Amino acid sequence: MSACAETRRLVRTAALIRRYDSNVPRYTSYPTAARFTPDVGPEDGGRWLEAVAADEAVSLYVHVPFCRTLCWYCACNTRAVNRTETIRTYVDLLLTEAGLVADRLGRRQRVARLHLGGGTPNMLSPDDLDRLFSGLRDVFDFAPDIEIAAELDPASLSHAWVKRAAHHGLNRASLGVQDLSPQVQKAINRIEPFSTVAQAADWLSQAGVKSLNLDLMYGLPLQTRDDLLATLDQVTTLRPGRIALFGYAHVPWMKPHQKLINEADLPGPEDRFAQSQAASAFLLDQGYAAVGLDHFALPTDSLAIASRTGRLHRNFQGYTTDVAETLIGLGASSISRTREGYVQNHTVERDWRAAVGQGRLPVARGLGLTTDDRRRADIIERLMCDFRVDLQDIDRKHGPAPDRFSAAFARLQPLVDDGLARRDGDVVGVTDAGRPFVRLVCAAFDTTLSTSPSRHGRLI
């Protein structure tokens, strides 16, 4: 490409960023959690559990809302804790909640996947892990080939914890890295040298945990393109099977501790875009395949294979190969998904503790799904995963939409005009240039976005 052509491309890209950078959901679900309402409560969640088929293999998500220290960039439901008693009693109540769920299911439901998230699951002691896994196995039927994954903080991880978790079946792990630049780590209150990450990866490998994901971020305070590339240059020497590269979402109105970050230190939209594109090019050059919007995987990894074969899915943990229709969330703020709808537990830990302690499912809010919700959810998932959807396939599954998406097509047209999307009859796709803007293409099919734009992070 000539210098003049490259200049024109950069000018056009900058114009598109200015035109389209807005608050847009990440679409890990549709409808998004911003639509959940307290009109849906414990009895609704209980009835929906009772409707789960006896022969269905479900997925479990267990939320651990504790960290050693609070990272200022974090948007998760967590808090800094240093009292072992607080964690011990939380595990007790997790098992009580699991029993309440099993009672409504009416059986020891088969579990194909278990994901420990947070927060920092490795805040649980090895003894806590023993109690948690023993208790879960008492009330659920773990499949022989169950996939057990955990999100881990390398700085607080111990070799003993890894060995105990592997004993209980841990076979996938995700290490939070974000960025290795000292000035960025100081700006986000997360000090973690590369040697710590490498040690954690080595412990996991020695314990037989062969599937490793690394979480990275762009758009962090004081972060530059060179910082991000230097981080990638180091972490790819570990050859993780997967790398997730998320854009930092600055939402201090929702997460007040993010006010500790100096907004003047945050890269602007054009710099964020340049960081994400440079990182993507680096990873592709290193032999990783792009998976959806913000994940990368080695070609032999199951995530890359699912992406190539049209079997990729998306849920609250991001891109996944999980095909379970039912996801059961345990713990404060956890979200459950069933055929009938979504329910979310109390996000305030003391409210969750009180409900479970009183023998009630700790559901605070949720949403029942309509046929149109399911129809649009499938459209958005296919766009997020495949960058293409054939609406005739959607019609065959759910029946045709009453308006045949005329409003969605009208919202989509500016993106088509700008070369970010394409439409050929009932087939809607995202162009190569439009991939970073795929959430906007999804938003064209979102009938609820205008009701809660401030609940979401920026597109770029």
Side-chain angles (χ1 to χ4, degrees), residues 30-31 44-53 56-59 105 323-328 335-343 367-378 381 394 396-399:
Y30 182 85
D44 300 288
R47 286 198 310 274
W48 295 347
L49 286 172
E50 290 168 359
V52 174
E56 180 184 348
V58 305
S59 294
L105 289 167
V323 298
E325 184 171 49
T326 300
L327 169 68
I328 297 172
I335 296 175
S336 297
R337 181 195 68 230
T338 65
R339 171 67 183 168
E340 286 74 19
Y342 295 103
V343 294
L367 183 71
L369 293 175
T370 66
T371 297
D372 192 57
D373 288 334
R374 296 187 183 97
R375 178 186 294 119
R376 292 175 187 273
D378 279 355
E381 183 177 47
I394 304 300
R396 283 188 283 271
K397 182 175 179 180
H398 300 285

mmCIF file of all heavy atoms in Angstrom, residues 30-31 44-53 56-59 105 323-328 335-343 367-378 381 394 396-399:
data_model
loop_
_atom_site.group_PDB
_atom_site.id
_atom_site.type_symbol
_atom_site.label_atom_id
_atom_site.label_comp_id
_atom_site.label_asym_id
_atom_site.label_seq_id
_atom_site.Cartn_x
_atom_site.Cartn_y
_atom_site.Cartn_z
ATOM 1 N N TYR A 30 -28.496 -12.003 25.214
ATOM 2 C CA TYR A 30 -29.577 -11.140 24.729
ATOM 3 C C TYR A 30 -30.886 -11.741 25.231
ATOM 4 O O TYR A 30 -31.112 -12.935 25.046
ATOM 5 C CB TYR A 30 -29.618 -11.024 23.199
ATOM 6 C CG TYR A 30 -30.734 -10.077 22.784
ATOM 7 C CD1 TYR A 30 -30.501 -8.709 22.747
ATOM 8 C CD2 TYR A 30 -32.022 -10.546 22.519
ATOM 9 C CE1 TYR A 30 -31.526 -7.831 22.429
ATOM 10 C CE2 TYR A 30 -33.053 -9.670 22.206
ATOM 11 C CZ TYR A 30 -32.796 -8.309 22.165
ATOM 12 O OH TYR A 30 -33.819 -7.428 21.876
ATOM 13 N N PRO A 31 -31.722 -10.927 25.849
ATOM 14 C CA PRO A 31 -31.495 -9.544 26.247
ATOM 15 C C PRO A 31 -30.349 -9.431 27.259
ATOM 16 O O PRO A 31 -30.011 -10.400 27.932
ATOM 17 C CB PRO A 31 -32.822 -9.127 26.871
ATOM 18 C CG PRO A 31 -33.836 -10.060 26.293
ATOM 19 C CD PRO A 31 -33.104 -11.359 26.144
ATOM 20 N N ASP A 44 -40.111 -17.832 40.305
ATOM 21 C CA ASP A 44 -39.934 -18.001 38.857
ATOM 22 C C ASP A 44 -38.698 -18.851 38.583
ATOM 23 O O ASP A 44 -38.745 -19.804 37.795
ATOM 24 C CB ASP A 44 -39.774 -16.631 38.185
ATOM 25 C CG ASP A 44 -40.969 -15.740 38.405
ATOM 26 O OD1 ASP A 44 -42.027 -16.021 37.806
ATOM 27 O OD2 ASP A 44 -40.851 -14.770 39.178
ATOM 28 N N GLY A 45 -37.583 -18.504 39.264
ATOM 29 C CA GLY A 45 -36.368 -19.277 39.077
ATOM 30 C C GLY A 45 -36.547 -20.727 39.467
ATOM 31 O O GLY A 45 -36.033 -21.637 38.793
ATOM 32 N N GLY A 46 -37.295 -20.968 40.532
ATOM 33 C CA GLY A 46 -37.545 -22.343 40.964
ATOM 34 C C GLY A 46 -38.360 -23.123 39.953
ATOM 35 O O GLY A 46 -38.061 -24.282 39.650
ATOM 36 N N ARG A 47 -39.406 -22.503 39.414
ATOM 37 C CA ARG A 47 -40.225 -23.184 38.404
ATOM 38 C C ARG A 47 -39.411 -23.501 37.157
ATOM 39 O O ARG A 47 -39.573 -24.566 36.551
ATOM 40 C CB ARG A 47 -41.430 -22.323 38.028
ATOM 41 C CG ARG A 47 -42.526 -22.257 39.062
ATOM 42 C CD ARG A 47 -43.832 -21.760 38.433
ATOM 43 N NE ARG A 47 -43.625 -20.533 37.656
ATOM 44 C CZ ARG A 47 -43.654 -19.313 38.173
ATOM 45 N NH1 ARG A 47 -43.846 -19.148 39.479
ATOM 46 N NH2 ARG A 47 -43.477 -18.253 37.411
ATOM 47 N N TRP A 48 -38.551 -22.575 36.774
ATOM 48 C CA TRP A 48 -37.750 -22.799 35.570
ATOM 49 C C TRP A 48 -36.739 -23.933 35.786
ATOM 50 O O TRP A 48 -36.461 -24.692 34.865
ATOM 51 C CB TRP A 48 -37.043 -21.510 35.178
ATOM 52 C CG TRP A 48 -38.009 -20.413 34.771
ATOM 53 C CD1 TRP A 48 -39.344 -20.572 34.503
ATOM 54 C CD2 TRP A 48 -37.730 -19.030 34.603
ATOM 55 N NE1 TRP A 48 -39.909 -19.359 34.178
ATOM 56 C CE2 TRP A 48 -38.950 -18.384 34.228
ATOM 57 C CE3 TRP A 48 -36.590 -18.245 34.739
ATOM 58 C CZ2 TRP A 48 -39.031 -17.015 33.976
ATOM 59 C CZ3 TRP A 48 -36.654 -16.884 34.482
ATOM 60 C CH2 TRP A 48 -37.867 -16.273 34.107
ATOM 61 N N LEU A 49 -36.242 -24.072 37.005
ATOM 62 C CA LEU A 49 -35.367 -25.208 37.301
ATOM 63 C C LEU A 49 -36.146 -26.522 37.236
ATOM 64 O O LEU A 49 -35.641 -27.536 36.737
ATOM 65 C CB LEU A 49 -34.737 -25.037 38.685
ATOM 66 C CG LEU A 49 -33.629 -23.991 38.827
ATOM 67 C CD1 LEU A 49 -33.264 -23.807 40.304
ATOM 68 C CD2 LEU A 49 -32.399 -24.376 38.019
ATOM 69 N N GLU A 50 -37.363 -26.518 37.727
ATOM 70 C CA GLU A 50 -38.175 -27.733 37.703
ATOM 71 C C GLU A 50 -38.463 -28.189 36.277
ATOM 72 O O GLU A 50 -38.717 -29.380 36.034
ATOM 73 C CB GLU A 50 -39.488 -27.476 38.446
ATOM 74 C CG GLU A 50 -39.299 -27.330 39.959
ATOM 75 C CD GLU A 50 -40.545 -26.796 40.648
ATOM 76 O OE1 GLU A 50 -41.540 -26.517 39.932
ATOM 77 O OE2 GLU A 50 -40.528 -26.647 41.885
ATOM 78 N N ALA A 51 -38.414 -27.268 35.324
ATOM 79 C CA ALA A 51 -38.717 -27.599 33.933
ATOM 80 C C ALA A 51 -37.508 -28.139 33.176
ATOM 81 O O ALA A 51 -37.649 -28.575 32.024
ATOM 82 C CB ALA A 51 -39.256 -26.361 33.215
ATOM 83 N N VAL A 52 -36.313 -28.141 33.800
ATOM 84 C CA VAL A 52 -35.116 -28.656 33.135
ATOM 85 C C VAL A 52 -35.277 -30.164 32.933
ATOM 86 O O VAL A 52 -35.659 -30.892 33.862
ATOM 87 C CB VAL A 52 -33.849 -28.350 33.960
ATOM 88 C CG1 VAL A 52 -32.618 -29.025 33.348
ATOM 89 C CG2 VAL A 52 -33.636 -26.843 34.046
ATOM 90 N N ALA A 53 -34.990 -30.642 31.743
ATOM 91 C CA ALA A 53 -35.170 -32.062 31.428
ATOM 92 C C ALA A 53 -34.240 -32.934 32.256
ATOM 93 O O ALA A 53 -33.089 -32.564 32.527
ATOM 94 C CB ALA A 53 -34.918 -32.310 29.941
ATOM 95 N N GLU A 56 -30.885 -33.784 30.640
ATOM 96 C CA GLU A 56 -30.079 -32.668 30.128
ATOM 97 C C GLU A 56 -28.806 -32.496 30.948
ATOM 98 O O GLU A 56 -28.852 -32.472 32.181
ATOM 99 C CB GLU A 56 -30.893 -31.365 30.158
ATOM 100 C CG GLU A 56 -30.123 -30.161 29.646
ATOM 101 C CD GLU A 56 -30.901 -28.861 29.760
ATOM 102 O OE1 GLU A 56 -32.122 -28.925 30.016
ATOM 103 O OE2 GLU A 56 -30.295 -27.784 29.606
ATOM 104 N N ALA A 57 -27.680 -32.363 30.280
ATOM 105 C CA ALA A 57 -26.425 -32.028 30.961
ATOM 106 C C ALA A 57 -26.326 -30.512 31.051
ATOM 107 O O ALA A 57 -26.418 -29.806 30.042
ATOM 108 C CB ALA A 57 -25.231 -32.592 30.195
ATOM 109 N N VAL A 58 -26.178 -29.998 32.260
ATOM 110 C CA VAL A 58 -26.159 -28.550 32.486
ATOM 111 C C VAL A 58 -24.733 -28.082 32.763
ATOM 112 O O VAL A 58 -23.814 -28.883 32.948
ATOM 113 C CB VAL A 58 -27.081 -28.171 33.663
ATOM 114 C CG1 VAL A 58 -28.490 -28.689 33.435
ATOM 115 C CG2 VAL A 58 -26.525 -28.684 34.992
ATOM 116 N N SER A 59 -24.577 -26.768 32.780
ATOM 117 C CA SER A 59 -23.311 -26.155 33.171
ATOM 118 C C SER A 59 -23.508 -25.434 34.497
ATOM 119 O O SER A 59 -24.591 -24.896 34.775
ATOM 120 C CB SER A 59 -22.833 -25.165 32.109
ATOM 121 O OG SER A 59 -22.506 -25.825 30.904
ATOM 122 N N LEU A 105 -34.553 -28.955 41.121
ATOM 123 C CA LEU A 105 -34.341 -29.822 39.967
ATOM 124 C C LEU A 105 -34.989 -31.184 40.188
ATOM 125 O O LEU A 105 -35.464 -31.832 39.253
ATOM 126 C CB LEU A 105 -32.847 -29.996 39.692
ATOM 127 C CG LEU A 105 -32.092 -28.786 39.145
ATOM 128 C CD1 LEU A 105 -30.579 -29.013 39.239
ATOM 129 C CD2 LEU A 105 -32.486 -28.506 37.698
ATOM 130 N N VAL A 323 -22.364 -26.032 24.842
ATOM 131 C CA VAL A 323 -23.636 -26.127 24.122
ATOM 132 C C VAL A 323 -24.823 -26.292 25.069
ATOM 133 O O VAL A 323 -25.963 -26.428 24.615
ATOM 134 C CB VAL A 323 -23.615 -27.301 23.120
ATOM 135 C CG1 VAL A 323 -22.540 -27.098 22.069
ATOM 136 C CG2 VAL A 323 -23.418 -28.642 23.840
ATOM 137 N N ALA A 324 -24.588 -26.302 26.373
ATOM 138 C CA ALA A 324 -25.673 -26.525 27.333
ATOM 139 C C ALA A 324 -26.709 -25.408 27.255
ATOM 140 O O ALA A 324 -26.364 -24.228 27.223
ATOM 141 C CB ALA A 324 -25.119 -26.627 28.752
ATOM 142 N N GLU A 325 -27.981 -25.790 27.235
ATOM 143 C CA GLU A 325 -29.045 -24.787 27.227
ATOM 144 C C GLU A 325 -29.225 -24.180 28.614
ATOM 145 O O GLU A 325 -29.627 -23.024 28.742
ATOM 146 C CB GLU A 325 -30.356 -25.419 26.754
ATOM 147 C CG GLU A 325 -31.484 -24.417 26.616
ATOM 148 C CD GLU A 325 -32.710 -24.994 25.938
ATOM 149 O OE1 GLU A 325 -33.157 -26.083 26.339
ATOM 150 O OE2 GLU A 325 -33.221 -24.356 24.994
ATOM 151 N N THR A 326 -28.910 -24.960 29.656
ATOM 152 C CA THR A 326 -29.097 -24.498 31.021
ATOM 153 C C THR A 326 -27.757 -24.224 31.685
ATOM 154 O O THR A 326 -26.884 -25.085 31.731
ATOM 155 C CB THR A 326 -29.865 -25.553 31.852
ATOM 156 O OG1 THR A 326 -31.142 -25.778 31.250
ATOM 157 C CG2 THR A 326 -30.052 -25.086 33.285
ATOM 158 N N LEU A 327 -27.618 -23.015 32.189
ATOM 159 C CA LEU A 327 -26.447 -22.604 32.970
ATOM 160 C C LEU A 327 -26.948 -22.216 34.350
ATOM 161 O O LEU A 327 -27.799 -21.327 34.481
ATOM 162 C CB LEU A 327 -25.746 -21.427 32.302
ATOM 163 C CG LEU A 327 -24.662 -20.717 33.126
ATOM 164 C CD1 LEU A 327 -23.460 -21.625 33.334
ATOM 165 C CD2 LEU A 327 -24.229 -19.415 32.449
ATOM 166 N N ILE A 328 -26.446 -22.876 35.379
ATOM 167 C CA ILE A 328 -26.879 -22.604 36.749
ATOM 168 C C ILE A 328 -25.781 -21.845 37.462
ATOM 169 O O ILE A 328 -24.647 -22.315 37.583
ATOM 170 C CB ILE A 328 -27.193 -23.910 37.500
ATOM 171 C CG1 ILE A 328 -28.363 -24.630 36.820
ATOM 172 C CG2 ILE A 328 -27.514 -23.625 38.966
ATOM 173 C CD1 ILE A 328 -28.633 -26.017 37.369
ATOM 174 N N ILE A 335 -25.556 -15.337 37.475
ATOM 175 C CA ILE A 335 -26.703 -15.367 36.579
ATOM 176 C C ILE A 335 -26.928 -16.794 36.099
ATOM 177 O O ILE A 335 -25.983 -17.489 35.724
ATOM 178 C CB ILE A 335 -26.482 -14.433 35.371
ATOM 179 C CG1 ILE A 335 -26.375 -12.977 35.844
ATOM 180 C CG2 ILE A 335 -27.622 -14.570 34.360
ATOM 181 C CD1 ILE A 335 -26.032 -11.997 34.741
ATOM 182 N N SER A 336 -28.175 -17.213 36.124
ATOM 183 C CA SER A 336 -28.568 -18.519 35.593
ATOM 184 C C SER A 336 -29.384 -18.324 34.328
ATOM 185 O O SER A 336 -30.135 -17.348 34.201
ATOM 186 C CB SER A 336 -29.407 -19.299 36.607
ATOM 187 O OG SER A 336 -28.678 -19.576 37.779
ATOM 188 N N ARG A 337 -29.239 -19.253 33.398
ATOM 189 C CA ARG A 337 -30.008 -19.217 32.156
ATOM 190 C C ARG A 337 -30.711 -20.550 31.969
ATOM 191 O O ARG A 337 -30.097 -21.614 32.083
ATOM 192 C CB ARG A 337 -29.072 -18.979 30.973
ATOM 193 C CG ARG A 337 -29.789 -18.892 29.617
ATOM 194 C CD ARG A 337 -28.805 -19.021 28.461
ATOM 195 N NE ARG A 337 -28.240 -20.367 28.407
ATOM 196 C CZ ARG A 337 -26.944 -20.626 28.317
ATOM 197 N NH1 ARG A 337 -26.054 -19.654 28.305
ATOM 198 N NH2 ARG A 337 -26.499 -21.878 28.271
ATOM 199 N N THR A 338 -31.997 -20.501 31.717
ATOM 200 C CA THR A 338 -32.765 -21.687 31.361
ATOM 201 C C THR A 338 -33.524 -21.393 30.072
ATOM 202 O O THR A 338 -33.472 -20.276 29.550
ATOM 203 C CB THR A 338 -33.775 -22.074 32.456
ATOM 204 O OG1 THR A 338 -34.762 -21.038 32.562
ATOM 205 C CG2 THR A 338 -33.091 -22.264 33.809
ATOM 206 N N ARG A 339 -34.230 -22.397 29.582
ATOM 207 C CA ARG A 339 -35.025 -22.196 28.373
ATOM 208 C C ARG A 339 -36.028 -21.068 28.574
ATOM 209 O O ARG A 339 -36.306 -20.286 27.662
ATOM 210 C CB ARG A 339 -35.754 -23.499 28.015
ATOM 211 C CG ARG A 339 -36.788 -23.385 26.904
ATOM 212 C CD ARG A 339 -36.171 -23.085 25.562
ATOM 213 N NE ARG A 339 -37.197 -22.922 24.536
ATOM 214 C CZ ARG A 339 -36.953 -22.441 23.327
ATOM 215 N NH1 ARG A 339 -35.733 -22.085 22.985
ATOM 216 N NH2 ARG A 339 -37.930 -22.316 22.440
ATOM 217 N N GLU A 340 -36.570 -20.935 29.785
ATOM 218 C CA GLU A 340 -37.634 -19.964 30.038
ATOM 219 C C GLU A 340 -37.118 -18.555 30.250
ATOM 220 O O GLU A 340 -37.849 -17.586 30.038
ATOM 221 C CB GLU A 340 -38.458 -20.396 31.258
ATOM 222 C CG GLU A 340 -39.385 -21.561 30.995
ATOM 223 C CD GLU A 340 -38.647 -22.889 30.887
ATOM 224 O OE1 GLU A 340 -37.491 -22.972 31.360
ATOM 225 O OE2 GLU A 340 -39.223 -23.840 30.322
ATOM 226 N N GLY A 341 -35.865 -18.405 30.733
ATOM 227 C CA GLY A 341 -35.382 -17.053 30.972
ATOM 228 C C GLY A 341 -34.131 -17.002 31.820
ATOM 229 O O GLY A 341 -33.483 -18.020 32.090
ATOM 230 N N TYR A 342 -33.799 -15.792 32.246
ATOM 231 C CA TYR A 342 -32.615 -15.525 33.062
ATOM 232 C C TYR A 342 -33.031 -15.134 34.471
ATOM 233 O O TYR A 342 -34.051 -14.453 34.674
ATOM 234 C CB TYR A 342 -31.816 -14.353 32.488
ATOM 235 C CG TYR A 342 -31.212 -14.578 31.139
ATOM 236 C CD1 TYR A 342 -31.794 -14.031 29.990
ATOM 237 C CD2 TYR A 342 -30.034 -15.316 30.981
ATOM 238 C CE1 TYR A 342 -31.229 -14.218 28.735
ATOM 239 C CE2 TYR A 342 -29.465 -15.503 29.732
ATOM 240 C CZ TYR A 342 -30.060 -14.954 28.619
ATOM 241 O OH TYR A 342 -29.501 -15.143 27.378
ATOM 242 N N VAL A 343 -32.228 -15.555 35.458
ATOM 243 C CA VAL A 343 -32.368 -15.018 36.813
ATOM 244 C C VAL A 343 -30.981 -14.661 37.330
ATOM 245 O O VAL A 343 -29.997 -15.319 36.991
ATOM 246 C CB VAL A 343 -33.048 -16.012 37.785
ATOM 247 C CG1 VAL A 343 -34.492 -16.265 37.380
ATOM 248 C CG2 VAL A 343 -32.281 -17.313 37.879
ATOM 249 N N LEU A 367 -35.543 -12.188 33.935
ATOM 250 C CA LEU A 367 -36.318 -11.841 32.749
ATOM 251 C C LEU A 367 -36.820 -13.117 32.089
ATOM 252 O O LEU A 367 -36.030 -14.032 31.820
ATOM 253 C CB LEU A 367 -35.446 -11.068 31.754
ATOM 254 C CG LEU A 367 -36.154 -10.568 30.494
ATOM 255 C CD1 LEU A 367 -37.098 -9.421 30.829
ATOM 256 C CD2 LEU A 367 -35.129 -10.123 29.452
ATOM 257 N N GLY A 368 -38.124 -13.190 31.856
ATOM 258 C CA GLY A 368 -38.680 -14.276 31.070
ATOM 259 C C GLY A 368 -38.488 -13.994 29.599
ATOM 260 O O GLY A 368 -38.622 -12.845 29.147
ATOM 261 N N LEU A 369 -38.170 -15.017 28.823
ATOM 262 C CA LEU A 369 -37.874 -14.840 27.403
ATOM 263 C C LEU A 369 -39.107 -15.042 26.542
ATOM 264 O O LEU A 369 -39.862 -15.996 26.728
ATOM 265 C CB LEU A 369 -36.782 -15.821 26.974
ATOM 266 C CG LEU A 369 -35.399 -15.596 27.582
ATOM 267 C CD1 LEU A 369 -34.451 -16.718 27.168
ATOM 268 C CD2 LEU A 369 -34.843 -14.241 27.178
ATOM 269 N N THR A 370 -39.276 -14.148 25.583
ATOM 270 C CA THR A 370 -40.331 -14.292 24.580
ATOM 271 C C THR A 370 -39.740 -14.971 23.340
ATOM 272 O O THR A 370 -38.519 -15.109 23.201
ATOM 273 C CB THR A 370 -40.885 -12.921 24.175
ATOM 274 O OG1 THR A 370 -39.850 -12.183 23.494
ATOM 275 C CG2 THR A 370 -41.346 -12.130 25.396
ATOM 276 N N THR A 371 -40.616 -15.362 22.439
ATOM 277 C CA THR A 371 -40.136 -15.936 21.177
ATOM 278 C C THR A 371 -39.265 -14.939 20.434
ATOM 279 O O THR A 371 -38.233 -15.293 19.849
ATOM 280 C CB THR A 371 -41.324 -16.360 20.293
ATOM 281 O OG1 THR A 371 -42.058 -17.376 20.957
ATOM 282 C CG2 THR A 371 -40.848 -16.881 18.944
ATOM 283 N N ASP A 372 -39.650 -13.661 20.464
ATOM 284 C CA ASP A 372 -38.847 -12.645 19.772
ATOM 285 C C ASP A 372 -37.487 -12.472 20.430
ATOM 286 O O ASP A 372 -36.483 -12.256 19.740
ATOM 287 C CB ASP A 372 -39.591 -11.311 19.750
ATOM 288 C CG ASP A 372 -38.938 -10.320 18.803
ATOM 289 O OD1 ASP A 372 -38.799 -10.638 17.604
ATOM 290 O OD2 ASP A 372 -38.523 -9.237 19.270
ATOM 291 N N ASP A 373 -37.427 -12.568 21.772
ATOM 292 C CA ASP A 373 -36.130 -12.508 22.461
ATOM 293 C C ASP A 373 -35.226 -13.638 21.973
ATOM 294 O O ASP A 373 -34.037 -13.416 21.685
ATOM 295 C CB ASP A 373 -36.316 -12.623 23.973
ATOM 296 C CG ASP A 373 -36.933 -11.388 24.606
ATOM 297 O OD1 ASP A 373 -36.776 -10.290 24.046
ATOM 298 O OD2 ASP A 373 -37.563 -11.542 25.667
ATOM 299 N N ARG A 374 -35.768 -14.849 21.902
ATOM 300 C CA ARG A 374 -34.953 -16.002 21.486
ATOM 301 C C ARG A 374 -34.502 -15.850 20.035
ATOM 302 O O ARG A 374 -33.376 -16.196 19.679
ATOM 303 C CB ARG A 374 -35.749 -17.293 21.666
ATOM 304 C CG ARG A 374 -36.110 -17.610 23.119
ATOM 305 C CD ARG A 374 -36.758 -18.985 23.246
ATOM 306 N NE ARG A 374 -37.170 -19.243 24.615
ATOM 307 C CZ ARG A 374 -38.405 -19.060 25.074
ATOM 308 N NH1 ARG A 374 -39.355 -18.636 24.243
ATOM 309 N NH2 ARG A 374 -38.705 -19.309 26.331
ATOM 310 N N ARG A 375 -35.392 -15.328 19.212
ATOM 311 C CA ARG A 375 -35.071 -15.117 17.794
ATOM 312 C C ARG A 375 -33.893 -14.144 17.682
ATOM 313 O O ARG A 375 -32.903 -14.403 16.991
ATOM 314 C CB ARG A 375 -36.310 -14.572 17.084
ATOM 315 C CG ARG A 375 -36.101 -14.258 15.616
ATOM 316 C CD ARG A 375 -37.340 -13.587 15.036
ATOM 317 N NE ARG A 375 -38.497 -14.475 15.008
ATOM 318 C CZ ARG A 375 -39.641 -14.264 15.659
ATOM 319 N NH1 ARG A 375 -39.774 -13.185 16.425
ATOM 320 N NH2 ARG A 375 -40.639 -15.116 15.567
ATOM 321 N N ARG A 376 -33.992 -13.006 18.348
ATOM 322 C CA ARG A 376 -32.939 -11.992 18.264
ATOM 323 C C ARG A 376 -31.663 -12.455 18.955
ATOM 324 O O ARG A 376 -30.551 -12.104 18.527
ATOM 325 C CB ARG A 376 -33.447 -10.673 18.837
ATOM 326 C CG ARG A 376 -34.537 -10.043 17.985
ATOM 327 C CD ARG A 376 -35.154 -8.792 18.593
ATOM 328 N NE ARG A 376 -36.290 -8.357 17.801
ATOM 329 C CZ ARG A 376 -36.201 -7.543 16.729
ATOM 330 N NH1 ARG A 376 -35.016 -7.072 16.374
ATOM 331 N NH2 ARG A 376 -37.279 -7.214 16.055
ATOM 332 N N ALA A 377 -31.805 -13.239 20.006
ATOM 333 C CA ALA A 377 -30.617 -13.775 20.683
ATOM 334 C C ALA A 377 -29.807 -14.637 19.727
ATOM 335 O O ALA A 377 -28.567 -14.568 19.692
ATOM 336 C CB ALA A 377 -31.023 -14.577 21.912
ATOM 337 N N ASP A 378 -30.497 -15.472 18.942
ATOM 338 C CA ASP A 378 -29.794 -16.331 17.987
ATOM 339 C C ASP A 378 -29.131 -15.504 16.888
ATOM 340 O O ASP A 378 -28.008 -15.803 16.458
ATOM 341 C CB ASP A 378 -30.756 -17.345 17.374
ATOM 342 C CG ASP A 378 -31.007 -18.538 18.281
ATOM 343 O OD1 ASP A 378 -30.360 -18.614 19.352
ATOM 344 O OD2 ASP A 378 -31.837 -19.398 17.927
ATOM 345 N N GLU A 381 -26.055 -13.842 18.482
ATOM 346 C CA GLU A 381 -24.985 -14.800 18.761
ATOM 347 C C GLU A 381 -24.264 -15.200 17.480
ATOM 348 O O GLU A 381 -23.035 -15.272 17.443
ATOM 349 C CB GLU A 381 -25.535 -16.043 19.456
ATOM 350 C CG GLU A 381 -24.428 -17.026 19.821
ATOM 351 C CD GLU A 381 -24.923 -18.242 20.575
ATOM 352 O OE1 GLU A 381 -25.941 -18.837 20.138
ATOM 353 O OE2 GLU A 381 -24.306 -18.616 21.577
ATOM 354 N N ILE A 394 -33.048 -18.603 10.916
ATOM 355 C CA ILE A 394 -33.736 -18.135 12.128
ATOM 356 C C ILE A 394 -35.236 -18.351 11.989
ATOM 357 O O ILE A 394 -35.913 -18.779 12.937
ATOM 358 C CB ILE A 394 -33.415 -16.653 12.383
ATOM 359 C CG1 ILE A 394 -31.889 -16.433 12.484
ATOM 360 C CG2 ILE A 394 -34.110 -16.163 13.647
ATOM 361 C CD1 ILE A 394 -31.220 -17.200 13.588
ATOM 362 N N ARG A 396 -36.741 -20.656 10.257
ATOM 363 C CA ARG A 396 -37.050 -22.081 10.375
ATOM 364 C C ARG A 396 -37.067 -22.536 11.837
ATOM 365 O O ARG A 396 -37.806 -23.455 12.193
ATOM 366 C CB ARG A 396 -36.037 -22.896 9.570
ATOM 367 C CG ARG A 396 -36.300 -22.871 8.071
ATOM 368 C CD ARG A 396 -35.412 -23.844 7.324
ATOM 369 N NE ARG A 396 -34.062 -23.343 7.174
ATOM 370 C CZ ARG A 396 -33.663 -22.581 6.143
ATOM 371 N NH1 ARG A 396 -34.519 -22.239 5.199
ATOM 372 N NH2 ARG A 396 -32.409 -22.177 6.062
ATOM 373 N N LYS A 397 -36.266 -21.902 12.665
ATOM 374 C CA LYS A 397 -36.194 -22.302 14.071
ATOM 375 C C LYS A 397 -37.281 -21.647 14.922
ATOM 376 O O LYS A 397 -37.860 -22.294 15.804
ATOM 377 C CB LYS A 397 -34.813 -21.953 14.637
ATOM 378 C CG LYS A 397 -34.602 -22.369 16.079
ATOM 379 C CD LYS A 397 -33.171 -22.093 16.535
ATOM 380 C CE LYS A 397 -32.960 -22.487 17.991
ATOM 381 N NZ LYS A 397 -31.564 -22.212 18.444
ATOM 382 N N HIS A 398 -37.552 -20.364 14.666
ATOM 383 C CA HIS A 398 -38.439 -19.607 15.556
ATOM 384 C C HIS A 398 -39.712 -19.107 14.883
ATOM 385 O O HIS A 398 -40.582 -18.546 15.555
ATOM 386 C CB HIS A 398 -37.702 -18.394 16.125
ATOM 387 C CG HIS A 398 -36.487 -18.721 16.931
ATOM 388 N ND1 HIS A 398 -36.565 -19.226 18.203
ATOM 389 C CD2 HIS A 398 -35.157 -18.634 16.632
ATOM 390 C CE1 HIS A 398 -35.336 -19.427 18.676
ATOM 391 N NE2 HIS A 398 -34.463 -19.076 17.739
ATOM 392 N N GLY A 399 -39.807 -19.275 13.579
ATOM 393 C CA GLY A 399 -40.895 -18.647 12.851
ATOM 394 C C GLY A 399 -40.476 -17.251 12.421
ATOM 395 O O GLY A 399 -39.624 -16.618 13.059
#
